[in-house]
């Protein structure tokens, strides 16, 4: 049985019996309705018209292409900038603020007197204006980081007790924590001594010393107590290691304890200069017949001073004089015209425990703006209340 095909009118005979070809991708072309819709959409897109030469334009086309009256012909930059001054200022402020935030943190923007070498991570330690920024900058660790334990090699070793650390690294001053936040501390002469500040402050310190007051902790100086039943024996021993041409430590003006005497110590005068020293007699009391002389010197000359005193005691065959080191006395030096004002504002004397002469001497120092108003080396013995009772920090 044979079959025959009839060619389709309008198509070649070779293609009449074949299926319609598709593109290489396997997708059929879009139907005519979608192509018509896409063509209309393309015709509606606004494009810039091609401007032809004026010689080829007809008069009607020139009238149709005249610009509308509402199109802006000129721009005045100064007037536009003036009308947008608020927006421009706000934009510059935001740009400057973002640049400043990227360069520093909140703890670096505190005033100079609040800056610390080791600043606390507590946001409450910064001014209130910077507190929100400090809270945003704190990196709060997640639970995985909190639970993660350091390797054994990186764990902190158990710290030794406080006394053994001080013996190994140096004894702390009473103001050690205050200095540790503002100074570089170095072990020297058996103490942790502030060496240099962590920030620039030479000009500020000079202004304070010139117009206000500057405090300096000198508790690291060495202090010794010469005690004995006779004040003449103590004066003889000290004079044996002091400059014979200088002031006499056993003079009557110094023996009552109202003035301090500055000495120059020698191992063997005029050779072997040890260093300067300051001596003060303890006021004699009938209840305690022992005479005591306190002597303060630089710790660098401490060893040579002890050898010189031991040699003087052996040479003089003096056995009634005892020499002990004093370790429980602090020393703070105030420099500036407001030094006495600071002393009067911090120390409050116990009037009932003082004599009339002591009260009168304390009252005479009120309002003094220069040490020249006092006698050279004047000493004021005052019984005061514990400052911690009035200035409670804990």
């Amino acid at each position: 049985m044979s079959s025959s095909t009839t060619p389709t009118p309008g198509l070649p005979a070779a293609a009449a019996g074949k299926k319609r070809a598709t593109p290489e991708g396997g997708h059929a072309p879009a139907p005519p309705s979608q192509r018509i819709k896409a063509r209309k959409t393309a015709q509606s897109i606004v494009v810039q018209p091609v401007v032809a030469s004026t010689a080829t334009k007809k008069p009607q086309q020139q009238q149709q292409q005249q610009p509308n009256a509402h199109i802006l012909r000129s721009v005045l930059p100064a007037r536009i900038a003036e009308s947008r001054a608020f927006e421009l200022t706000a934009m510059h402020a935001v740009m400057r603020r973002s640049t400043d935030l990227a360069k520093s943190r909140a703890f670096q923007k505190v005033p100079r007197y609040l800056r610390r070498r080791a600043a606390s991570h507590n946001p409450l330690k910064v001014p209130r204006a910077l507190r929100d920024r400090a809270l945003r900058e704190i990196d709060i660790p997640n639970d995985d980081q909190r639970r993660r334990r350091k390797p054994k090699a990186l764990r902190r070793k158990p710290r030794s007790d406080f006394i053994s650390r001080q013996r190994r690294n140096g004894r702390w001053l009473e103001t050690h924590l205050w200095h540790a936040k503002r100074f570089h501390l170095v072990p020297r002469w058996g103490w942790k001594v502030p060496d240099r500040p962590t920030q620039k402050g030479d000009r500020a310190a000079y202004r304070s010393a010139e117009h206000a007051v500057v405090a300096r902790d000198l508790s690291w100086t060495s202090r010794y107590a010469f005690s004995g039943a006779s004040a003449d024996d103590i004066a003889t021993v000290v004079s044996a290691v002091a400059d014979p041409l200088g002031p006499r430590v056993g003079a009557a003006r110094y023996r009552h304890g109202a003035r301090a005497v500055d000495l120059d110590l020698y191992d063997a005068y005029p050779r072997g200069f040890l260093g300067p020293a300051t001596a003060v007699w303890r006021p004699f009391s009938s209840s305690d017949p022992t005479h005591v002389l306190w002597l303060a010197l630089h710790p660098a000359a401490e060893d040579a001073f002890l050898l010189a005193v031991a040699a003087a005691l052996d040479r003089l065959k003096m056995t009634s004089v005892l020499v002990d080191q004093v370790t429980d006395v602090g020393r703070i030096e105030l420099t500036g015209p407001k030094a006495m004002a600071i002393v009067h504002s911090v120390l409050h004397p116990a009037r009932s425990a003082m004599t009339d002469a002591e009260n009168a001497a304390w009252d005479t120092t009120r309002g003094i703006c220069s040490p020249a108003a006092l006698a050279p080396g004047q000493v004021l013995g005052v019984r005061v209340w514990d400052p911690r009772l009035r200035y409670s920090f804990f």
Side-chain angles (χ1 to χ4, degrees), residues 1-5:
M1 184 175 178
S2 62
S3 61
S4 60
T5 58

Side-chain angles (χ1 to χ4, degrees), residues 260-281:
V261 53
D262 294 331
L263 305 173
D264 291 333
L265 303 179
Y266 286 86
D267 187 7
Y269 183 83
R271 296 180 298 273
F273 176 72
L274 302 179
T278 303
V280 179
W281 287 92

Side-chain angles (χ1 to χ4, degrees), residues 225-244:
F226 293 78
S227 59
S230 174
D232 295 335
D233 295 344
I234 298 175
T236 302
V237 173
V238 176
S239 300
V241 294
D243 184 4

Side-chain angles (χ1 to χ4, degrees), residues 11 30 39 54 102 121 164 181 184 214 217 273 317 320 342 355 394:
L11 291 177
R39 190 181 299 111
T54 57
H121 292 278
S164 62
K181 300 176 181 179
H184 295 282
V214 173
D217 192 354
F273 176 72
K317 301 186 182 302
S320 59
I342 294 295
T355 62
F394 304 101

